[in-house]
Amino acid sequence: MSYIVIFISAVFVNNIVLAQFLGICPFLGVSKKVETAIGMSAAVAFVMTIATLATYLIQKLVLDHFGLGFMQTISFILIIAALVQMVEIILKKVSPALYQALGVFLPLITTNCTILGVAIMVIQKDYNLLSSVVFAISSAIGFGLALIIFSGIREQLALTHVPKAMQGIPVALVTAGILAMAFMGFSGIV
């Protein structure tokens, strides 16, 4: 039952973008087209799950064991950057089609703060390994859900008349605020 609570909480109630405010840069930058948002969501889901698993193991087996907890952030950043590079190299050799599909999204994920944020939150919440993976997958689904909904709304906004002063980022920010308030409606679930 606790895994279901983690899932619902991470996807709807404590959405990584709309409630935690992590990943705002890709949320605003990659949300102009739905297909681009889907690609970014898939890449984030893949890397977030693997990165959370790797950082959890490093934290528990190395940093905590040797009393190096103060090295957590820099270690996690290096692990995530190395992991993204490894995934990029492996995908290029093993599955060129998937590598082409992910395209520019893999290098962008290296600087995506949602990956680091989820890895740190897993340690702060003192989750076990399975709970950590469930939280990572759920957070990635929540990120993707918010990004895809937001990109659909932005595509529709591009077809409507928006006052000149509100065009571009201003209307996107107002829309993101309304979307965040809509997600606040789920707060009574968990």
Side-chain angles (χ1 to χ4, degrees), residues 128-159:
N128 61 28
L129 185 61
L130 185 57
S131 295
S132 300
V133 172
V134 169
F135 181 73
I137 292 169
S138 303
S139 295
I141 290 170
F143 176 82
L145 180 67
L147 187 62
I148 292 167
I149 290 171
F150 187 60
S151 63
I153 294 170
R154 285 188 75 180
E155 278 187 358
Q156 292 299 312
L157 279 173
L159 302 174

Side-chain angles (χ1 to χ4, degrees), residues 60-109:
K60 297 299 180 185
L61 300 176
V62 177
L63 298 179
D64 288 349
H65 183 71
F66 293 108
L68 298 171
F70 62 93
M71 297 287 292
Q72 180 188 57
T73 304
I74 192 71
S75 300
F76 284 12
I77 290 170
L78 292 173
I79 291 166
I80 292 166
L83 189 65
V84 169
Q85 290 302 312
M86 280 188 345
V87 166
E88 190 172 5
I89 291 168
I90 291 168
L91 280 180
K92 196 173 195 178
K93 292 191 185 282
V94 174
S95 178
L98 182 58
Y99 175 75
Q100 290 294 329
L102 292 176
V104 70
F105 300 123
L106 275 175
L108 287 175
I109 291 173

Side-chain angles (χ1 to χ4, degrees), residues 7-15 19 142 145 183-184 186-187 189:
F7 179 81
I8 291 171
S9 176
V11 173
F12 299 109
V13 179
N14 294 318
N15 187 287
L145 180 67
F183 269 68
M184 282 177 58
F186 294 114
S187 62
I189 292 176

Side-chain angles (χ1 to χ4, degrees), residues 115-138:
I115 310 293
L116 179 62
V118 167
I120 291 174
M121 278 191 260
V122 159
I123 302 303
Q124 288 175 345
K125 293 178 184 229
D126 200 29
Y127 284 149
N128 61 28
L129 185 61
L130 185 57
S131 295
S132 300
V133 172
V134 169
F135 181 73
I137 292 169
S138 303

